[in-house]
Amino acid sequence: MYKIGVFDSGVGGLTVLKEIEKYLPKSHIIYFGDSANAPYGDKSKNEIKNLCLKIGEFLYNNSVDAIVIACNTATAASLEAMQETFPIPIIGVIEPGVKSALATTTNGKVAVIATPATVKFNAYRDVFDNFAPENFDLVQRGCKLLCPMVEEGWENKYSIYFTDEIIRLYLEAIPEDVDTLILGCTHYPMIRNTIERQFTKNIVDPAKETTLELLNKLKTIDKKNDITPKIEFAISGDIENFKTIAERFLEREIQNLYNIKL
Ligand code: DGL
Protein backbone atom coordinates (compact mmCIF):
# COMPACT_ATOMS: atom_id res chain seq x y z
CA MET A 1 0.00 0.00 0.00
CA TYR A 2 0.96 3.67 0.04
CA LYS A 3 2.09 6.41 2.36
CA ILE A 4 0.29 9.63 1.53
CA GLY A 5 0.73 13.20 2.70
CA VAL A 6 -2.33 15.45 2.84
CA PHE A 7 -2.32 19.05 4.01
CA ASP A 8 -4.44 22.11 4.56
CA SER A 9 -4.30 25.34 6.55
CA GLY A 10 -6.41 23.60 9.18
CA VAL A 11 -9.43 21.30 9.32
CA GLY A 12 -10.69 21.84 5.75
CA GLY A 13 -8.52 19.16 4.20
CA LEU A 14 -10.38 16.59 6.28
CA THR A 15 -13.14 16.80 3.68
CA VAL A 16 -10.61 15.43 1.16
CA LEU A 17 -9.08 13.00 3.67
CA LYS A 18 -12.52 11.46 4.19
CA GLU A 19 -12.70 10.61 0.48
CA ILE A 20 -9.10 9.32 0.35
CA GLU A 21 -9.80 7.01 3.30
CA LYS A 22 -12.73 5.48 1.41
CA TYR A 23 -10.60 4.57 -1.58
CA LEU A 24 -7.30 3.78 0.17
CA PRO A 25 -8.27 2.36 3.57
CA LYS A 26 -5.03 0.42 3.89
CA SER A 27 -2.74 3.40 3.48
CA HIS A 28 -0.67 5.30 5.97
CA ILE A 29 -1.80 8.92 5.78
CA ILE A 30 -0.02 11.86 7.35
CA TYR A 31 -2.39 14.80 7.60
CA PHE A 32 -0.74 18.16 8.22
CA GLY A 33 -3.08 20.87 9.55
CA ASP A 34 -1.31 24.23 9.61
CA SER A 35 -3.82 25.79 11.98
CA ALA A 36 -1.17 28.04 13.56
CA ASN A 37 -1.08 29.89 10.23
CA ALA A 38 -4.77 29.68 9.25
CA PRO A 39 -6.43 31.28 7.46
CA TYR A 40 -4.25 31.21 4.35
CA GLY A 41 -6.94 33.10 2.46
CA ASP A 42 -5.78 36.53 3.61
CA LYS A 43 -2.05 35.98 3.02
CA SER A 44 0.18 36.89 0.08
CA LYS A 45 1.12 34.33 -2.57
CA ASN A 46 4.73 34.21 -1.39
CA GLU A 47 3.81 33.72 2.25
CA ILE A 48 1.49 30.83 1.38
CA LYS A 49 3.99 29.28 -1.02
CA ASN A 50 6.74 29.34 1.63
CA LEU A 51 4.46 27.67 4.19
CA CYS A 52 3.49 25.00 1.64
CA LEU A 53 7.12 24.28 0.75
CA LYS A 54 7.92 23.78 4.44
CA ILE A 55 5.00 21.41 4.84
CA GLY A 56 6.06 19.64 1.65
CA GLU A 57 9.55 19.19 3.07
CA PHE A 58 8.16 17.71 6.28
CA LEU A 59 5.97 15.25 4.36
CA TYR A 60 8.66 14.39 1.82
CA ASN A 61 11.19 13.75 4.61
CA ASN A 62 8.62 11.37 6.06
CA SER A 63 8.85 9.35 2.84
CA VAL A 64 5.35 9.87 1.50
CA ASP A 65 4.67 8.50 -2.00
CA ALA A 66 2.45 11.42 -3.00
CA ILE A 67 1.17 14.71 -1.58
CA VAL A 68 -2.39 15.97 -1.86
CA ILE A 69 -2.69 19.72 -1.42
CA ALA A 70 -6.15 19.54 0.17
CA CYS A 71 -6.54 23.31 0.11
CA ASN A 72 -7.56 25.50 -2.81
CA THR A 73 -5.64 28.53 -1.59
CA ALA A 74 -2.47 26.47 -1.19
CA THR A 75 -3.04 24.86 -4.60
CA ALA A 76 -3.47 28.30 -6.16
CA ALA A 77 -0.28 29.64 -4.57
CA SER A 78 2.05 26.65 -4.64
CA LEU A 79 1.08 23.77 -6.96
CA GLU A 80 3.77 24.59 -9.52
CA ALA A 81 6.49 25.27 -6.94
CA MET A 82 5.61 22.07 -5.08
CA GLN A 83 5.74 20.05 -8.30
CA GLU A 84 9.09 21.59 -9.21
CA THR A 85 10.55 20.96 -5.75
CA PHE A 86 9.47 17.42 -4.84
CA PRO A 87 10.00 14.47 -7.22
CA ILE A 88 6.74 12.69 -6.28
CA PRO A 89 3.16 13.19 -7.51
CA ILE A 90 1.66 16.41 -6.11
CA ILE A 91 -2.08 16.69 -6.56
CA GLY A 92 -4.07 19.91 -6.14
CA VAL A 93 -7.82 20.40 -5.82
CA ILE A 94 -8.54 23.07 -8.41
CA GLU A 95 -8.27 21.14 -11.68
CA PRO A 96 -10.39 18.25 -10.31
CA GLY A 97 -12.99 20.82 -9.13
CA VAL A 98 -13.19 22.51 -12.52
CA LYS A 99 -13.43 19.18 -14.40
CA SER A 100 -16.16 18.01 -12.08
CA ALA A 101 -18.12 21.27 -12.57
CA LEU A 102 -17.79 21.01 -16.35
CA ALA A 103 -19.19 17.49 -16.22
CA THR A 104 -22.09 18.72 -14.07
CA THR A 105 -23.28 22.00 -15.60
CA THR A 106 -26.00 21.81 -18.22
CA ASN A 107 -25.98 25.46 -19.29
CA GLY A 108 -22.26 26.30 -18.93
CA LYS A 109 -22.83 28.88 -16.17
CA VAL A 110 -20.57 28.03 -13.27
CA ALA A 111 -19.69 29.90 -10.06
CA VAL A 112 -17.00 29.24 -7.50
CA ILE A 113 -16.92 30.41 -3.90
CA ALA A 114 -13.43 30.46 -2.42
CA THR A 115 -11.09 32.43 -0.18
CA PRO A 116 -10.17 35.98 -1.22
CA ALA A 117 -6.64 34.74 -2.06
CA THR A 118 -7.83 31.95 -4.37
CA VAL A 119 -9.96 34.48 -6.23
CA LYS A 120 -7.17 37.07 -6.33
CA PHE A 121 -4.66 34.56 -7.74
CA ASN A 122 -7.20 33.72 -10.48
CA ALA A 123 -6.38 30.03 -10.25
CA TYR A 124 -9.95 28.87 -11.00
CA ARG A 125 -10.20 31.33 -13.89
CA ASP A 126 -6.97 30.04 -15.46
CA VAL A 127 -7.89 26.36 -15.18
CA PHE A 128 -11.48 27.02 -16.29
CA ASP A 129 -10.30 28.89 -19.38
CA ASN A 130 -8.03 25.97 -20.17
CA PHE A 131 -10.70 23.27 -20.04
CA ALA A 132 -14.07 24.93 -20.68
CA PRO A 133 -15.65 25.49 -24.09
CA GLU A 134 -15.61 29.15 -25.18
CA ASN A 135 -19.24 29.97 -24.44
CA PHE A 136 -18.98 28.80 -20.81
CA ASP A 137 -18.79 31.37 -17.99
CA LEU A 138 -17.20 31.34 -14.57
CA VAL A 139 -18.11 33.76 -11.77
CA GLN A 140 -15.77 33.90 -8.77
CA ARG A 141 -16.80 35.04 -5.31
CA GLY A 142 -14.34 35.52 -2.45
CA CYS A 143 -15.80 34.69 0.97
CA LYS A 144 -13.49 36.07 3.63
CA LEU A 145 -15.47 34.97 6.69
CA LEU A 146 -16.35 31.36 5.92
CA CYS A 147 -13.04 29.56 6.52
CA PRO A 148 -12.33 31.29 9.89
CA MET A 149 -15.88 30.43 10.99
CA VAL A 150 -15.30 26.74 10.32
CA GLU A 151 -11.87 26.87 12.06
CA GLU A 152 -13.67 28.30 15.12
CA GLY A 153 -15.92 25.25 15.14
CA TRP A 154 -18.99 27.38 14.40
CA GLU A 155 -19.91 25.49 11.26
CA ASN A 156 -23.31 24.35 12.42
CA LYS A 157 -23.65 25.80 15.87
CA TYR A 158 -25.24 29.11 14.96
CA SER A 159 -26.82 28.16 11.67
CA ILE A 160 -30.12 29.75 10.65
CA TYR A 161 -29.27 32.89 12.67
CA PHE A 162 -25.65 33.27 11.74
CA THR A 163 -24.06 30.93 9.19
CA ASP A 164 -27.14 31.01 6.96
CA GLU A 165 -27.23 34.77 6.89
CA ILE A 166 -23.53 35.14 6.08
CA ILE A 167 -23.73 32.57 3.29
CA ARG A 168 -26.88 34.21 1.96
CA LEU A 169 -25.03 37.53 1.72
CA TYR A 170 -22.12 35.95 -0.14
CA LEU A 171 -24.35 34.07 -2.57
CA GLU A 172 -26.53 37.10 -3.27
CA ALA A 173 -24.03 38.26 -5.90
CA ILE A 174 -24.14 34.98 -7.85
CA PRO A 175 -26.16 35.47 -11.07
CA GLU A 176 -29.54 33.72 -11.25
CA ASP A 177 -28.65 31.62 -14.29
CA VAL A 178 -25.65 29.89 -12.65
CA ASP A 179 -26.57 26.20 -12.40
CA THR A 180 -23.40 24.83 -10.77
CA LEU A 181 -21.55 26.07 -7.70
CA ILE A 182 -18.05 24.82 -6.90
CA LEU A 183 -17.10 24.70 -3.23
CA GLY A 184 -13.67 26.20 -3.93
CA CYS A 185 -12.39 25.95 -0.38
CA THR A 186 -12.07 22.60 1.33
CA HIS A 187 -13.59 24.02 4.51
CA TYR A 188 -16.93 24.63 2.76
CA PRO A 189 -18.17 21.02 2.50
CA MET A 190 -18.36 21.22 6.30
CA ILE A 191 -21.11 23.82 5.90
CA ARG A 192 -22.61 22.19 2.83
CA ASN A 193 -26.05 21.79 4.46
CA THR A 194 -26.23 25.50 5.03
CA ILE A 195 -24.98 26.31 1.53
CA GLU A 196 -27.59 23.94 0.08
CA ARG A 197 -30.33 25.90 1.77
CA GLN A 198 -29.19 29.02 -0.11
CA PHE A 199 -28.16 27.47 -3.44
CA THR A 200 -30.56 24.82 -4.60
CA LYS A 201 -29.00 23.80 -7.92
CA ASN A 202 -25.82 21.67 -8.46
CA ILE A 203 -23.08 21.82 -5.86
CA VAL A 204 -19.61 20.47 -6.66
CA ASP A 205 -17.19 19.34 -3.97
CA PRO A 206 -13.79 18.61 -5.62
CA ALA A 207 -12.84 15.99 -2.98
CA LYS A 208 -13.90 12.87 -4.88
CA GLU A 209 -12.42 13.95 -8.21
CA THR A 210 -9.18 14.86 -6.42
CA THR A 211 -9.03 11.39 -4.90
CA LEU A 212 -9.58 9.78 -8.30
CA GLU A 213 -6.72 11.88 -9.64
CA LEU A 214 -4.55 10.66 -6.76
CA LEU A 215 -5.45 7.02 -7.54
CA ASN A 216 -4.53 7.63 -11.14
CA LYS A 217 -1.12 9.03 -10.19
CA LEU A 218 -0.47 6.19 -7.73
CA LYS A 219 -0.78 3.65 -10.55
CA THR A 220 2.72 4.64 -11.63
CA ILE A 221 4.22 3.95 -8.19
CA ASP A 222 5.13 0.57 -6.72
CA LYS A 223 3.05 -0.42 -3.71
CA LYS A 224 4.89 -0.88 -0.44
CA ASN A 225 4.49 -4.11 1.49
CA ASP A 226 5.55 -2.79 4.87
CA ILE A 227 2.79 -0.22 5.46
CA THR A 228 0.73 -0.37 8.64
CA PRO A 229 -2.56 1.37 7.89
CA LYS A 230 -3.00 4.44 10.05
CA ILE A 231 -3.68 8.15 9.99
CA GLU A 232 -1.54 10.58 11.92
CA PHE A 233 -2.33 14.23 12.42
CA ALA A 234 0.54 16.71 12.58
CA ILE A 235 -0.95 19.98 13.80
CA SER A 236 0.89 23.29 14.03
CA GLY A 237 -1.76 25.03 16.18
CA ASP A 238 -4.19 24.09 18.93
CA ILE A 239 -4.54 20.29 18.99
CA GLU A 240 -7.69 20.20 21.13
CA ASN A 241 -9.59 22.54 18.84
CA PHE A 242 -8.52 20.50 15.80
CA LYS A 243 -9.50 17.25 17.51
CA THR A 244 -12.97 18.50 18.46
CA ILE A 245 -13.83 19.65 14.94
CA ALA A 246 -12.19 16.62 13.29
CA GLU A 247 -14.05 14.11 15.45
CA ARG A 248 -17.35 15.87 14.85
CA PHE A 249 -16.76 15.84 11.10
CA LEU A 250 -15.30 12.33 10.79
CA GLU A 251 -17.86 11.00 13.28
CA ARG A 252 -15.33 8.98 15.23
CA GLU A 253 -12.56 9.36 17.76
CA ILE A 254 -9.16 10.14 16.32
CA GLN A 255 -5.72 9.26 17.63
CA ASN A 256 -2.09 9.91 16.71
CA LEU A 257 -2.25 13.70 17.00
CA TYR A 258 0.88 15.63 17.72
CA ASN A 259 2.09 19.18 17.64
CA ILE A 260 4.67 20.33 15.13
CA LYS A 261 6.09 23.79 14.55
CA LEU A 262 6.80 24.76 10.98
N1 DGL B 1 -9.19 25.01 3.02
C1 DGL B 1 -8.54 26.15 2.45
C2 DGL B 1 -8.92 26.29 0.98
O1 DGL B 1 -9.38 25.32 0.40
C3 DGL B 1 -8.80 27.35 3.30
C4 DGL B 1 -7.78 28.39 3.16
C5 DGL B 1 -7.64 29.34 4.31
O2 DGL B 1 -7.00 28.93 5.28
O3 DGL B 1 -8.09 30.47 4.21
O4 DGL B 1 -8.74 27.31 0.37
Side-chain angles (χ1 to χ4, degrees):
M1 259 304 155
Y2 300 103
K3 195 167 180 184
I4 300 175
V6 178
F7 77 90
D8 177 50
S9 62
V11 294
L14 295 170
T15 61
V16 181
L17 174 86
K18 205 175 189 172
E19 262 332 288
I20 296 175
E21 272 187 289
K22 272 192 223 161
Y23 287 86
L24 294 163
K26 297 200 177 107
S27 290
H28 176 173
I29 301 174
I30 306 178
Y31 182 95
F32 193 104
D34 191 15
S35 44
N37 293 301
Y40 280 6
D42 298 331
K43 292 184 164 44
S44 74
K45 201 171 200 168
N46 252 344
E47 262 179 294
I48 302 165
K49 193 167 71 186
N50 289 337
L51 290 168
C52 295
L53 289 171
K54 281 190 196 163
I55 298 169
E57 198 177 309
F58 166 78
L59 295 170
Y60 186 71
N61 289 341
N62 272 281
S63 311
V64 295
D65 297 303
I67 295 176
V68 178
I69 309 179
C71 172
N72 293 263
T73 316
T75 302
S78 78
L79 180 64
E80 254 175 54
M82 291 281 292
Q83 287 173 335
E84 280 163 14
T85 309
F86 305 106
I88 52 174
I90 311 281
I91 295 103
V93 281
I94 294 181
E95 197 174 301
V98 167
K99 285 182 177 163
S100 184
L102 293 176
T104 305
T105 180
T106 50
N107 69 359
K109 310 279 181 214
V110 177
V112 58
I113 47 172
T115 66
T118 302
V119 171
K120 194 168 84 195
F121 306 155
N122 256 327
Y124 268 93
R125 162 87 48 229
D126 292 345
V127 176
F128 192 85
D129 288 349
N130 235 348
F131 289 99
E134 249 181 30
N135 54 338
F136 279 33
D137 285 337
L138 176 75
V139 175
Q140 307 187 83
R141 181 86 169 104
C143 307
K144 191 177 165 77
L145 299 177
L146 297 188
C147 167
M149 239 164 53
V150 175
E151 280 297 316
E152 283 288 357
W154 289 356
E155 72 276 14
N156 291 311
K157 223 179 186 171
Y158 302 108
S159 59
I160 306 291
Y161 306 108
F162 183 74
T163 330
D164 276 71
E165 187 55 13
I166 292 175
I167 290 170
R168 191 188 65 73
L169 289 169
Y170 280 132
L171 294 185
E172 223 172 39
I174 306 276
E176 278 285 305
D177 59 352
V178 163
D179 78 346
T180 301
L181 178 69
I182 306 173
L183 304 182
C185 169
T186 52
H187 283 69
Y188 300 171
M190 290 186 174
I191 46 173
R192 183 176 176 134
N193 288 348
T194 319
I195 295 171
E196 273 173 351
R197 280 197 288 274
Q198 309 293 336
F199 186 85
T200 52
K201 290 175 249 176
N202 307 312
I203 292 186
V204 166
D205 170 1
K208 185 176 171 191
E209 201 68 29
T210 302
T211 305
L212 297 180
E213 176 72 22
L214 167 68
L215 293 180
N216 211 15
K217 291 272 163 61
L218 287 175
K219 278 186 199 151
T220 58
I221 297 173
D222 290 338
K223 287 185 183 163
K224 290 176 175 150
N225 297 320
D226 56 347
I227 293 276
T228 309
K230 75 165 176 178
I231 304 182
E232 49 183 289
F233 297 90
I235 308 302
S236 65
D238 183 342
I239 288 199
E240 278 314 308
N241 186 52
F242 181 92
K243 191 169 188 287
T244 306
I245 302 173
E247 290 185 342
R248 197 158 60 217
F249 177 70
L250 297 172
E251 299 177 285
R252 62 166 198 264
E253 261 186 49
I254 58 168
Q255 278 140 14
N256 307 317
L257 284 101
Y258 52 91
N259 220 223
I260 182 145
K261 292 278 162 270
L262 264 193

